[in-house]
Amino acid sequence: MNPDGMILPATTVPRRTADPEDARSATNGSGRPRPFSVSQLTTYLMCPRRYRFRYVEKRQPEHRSASLAFGSAVHSAVEWWHLERMAGRTPPIGQVTRIFRADWTAQLAAGALLPDDRDPRELMVTGEVLLALFVDRFKAEVPDGAEVRFEVPLLHPKTGERHALPLVGVLDFTLGTTVT
């Protein structure tokens, strides 16, 4: 944070390590640094070393939490369902849960999951219930976008000055909205 109260990205935050390699040294091919995502900023604020390992050194974690793997499996099934709806199809819940089960099984087979106090079979049932509720709630909706990338400028809260790098992210889906 600078004296004006603005949270600054890793390029301008004093380094906590002696290594001269900086998180913003990776460019997007044009020589311009890549923009920041909400995940990157959150990771940096929580633990600069984790940020370095994940985004600068691109290290893969040795373990993954079962909760993260579960969320990824649910997300992949929901994304598939949205894409099907956008293509004019309404897949039955059985197809959606098959996508989830396949992804969850693959996550489990890949190993390296941190143990959790919940049984993987219990999580499979929970995922199927969540997906059934989701499909029931959104069955009448047809998204006009899925996994829609967005980019917004980062502005100084007092001066309105625009930072050189934008904030980027991805919306899971959009309904009745045009995102440009």
Side-chain angles (χ1 to χ4, degrees), residues 13 37 39 43 49 58 69 75-76 109 113-114 120 140-141 170 176-177:
V13 173
S37 70
S39 296
T43 300
R49 181 171 285 157
K58 306 223 183 283
H75 186 273
S76 70
L113 291 183
L114 289 174
E141 307 285 351
V170 177
T177 303

Side-chain angles (χ1 to χ4, degrees), residues 13-171:
V13 173
R15 293 186 188 110
R16 295 184 186 192
T17 66
D19 192 328
E21 191 67 1
D22 186 78
R24 294 285 86 200
S25 64
T27 63
N28 62 8
S30 67
R32 183 170 176 228
R34 289 188 187 120
F36 291 100
S37 70
V38 173
S39 296
Q40 289 172 317
L41 290 173
T42 302
T43 300
Y44 182 82
L45 292 172
M46 302 258 315
C47 181
R49 181 171 285 157
R50 176 182 277 176
Y51 178 95
R52 179 170 190 71
F53 289 159
R54 183 170 179 190
Y55 296 106
V56 178
E57 297 177 11
K58 306 223 183 283
R59 291 188 192 180
Q60 294 299 316
E62 292 177 15
H63 302 285
R64 187 171 186 200
S65 76
S67 298
L68 183 59
F70 173 77
S72 294
V74 170
H75 186 273
S76 70
V78 168
E79 179 184 358
W80 177 82
W81 187 77
H82 284 312
L83 293 171
E84 287 293 297
R85 295 291 292 136
M86 289 171 59
R89 297 181 287 271
T90 304
I93 188 61
Q95 284 183 306
V96 180
T97 56
R98 273 194 292 281
I99 297 292
F100 164 73
R101 281 193 303 263
D103 196 295
W104 178 237
T105 302
Q107 302 259 0
L108 293 174
L113 291 183
L114 289 174
D116 186 297
D117 60 348
R118 299 186 64 189
D119 182 290
R121 292 169 298 204
E122 179 186 336
L123 286 171
M124 186 172 305
V125 171
T126 300
E128 291 173 354
V129 169
L130 287 172
L131 288 166
L133 291 169
F134 179 86
V135 167
D136 185 59
R137 163 63 180 86
F138 290 101
K139 65 183 171 228
E141 307 285 351
V142 177
D144 48 44
E147 299 299 309
V148 178
R149 184 181 187 279
F150 69 88
E151 185 173 303
V152 294
L154 290 173
L155 304 176
H156 188 286
K158 292 182 182 173
T159 67
E161 179 184 352
R162 179 179 265 189
H163 191 280
L165 299 174
L167 177 71
V168 297
V170 177
L171 298 171

Side-chain angles (χ1 to χ4, degrees), residues 1-19:
M1 192 173 288
N2 73 4
D4 296 324
M6 182 177 178
I7 295 176
L8 301 175
T11 50
T12 55
V13 173
R15 293 186 188 110
R16 295 184 186 192
T17 66
D19 192 328

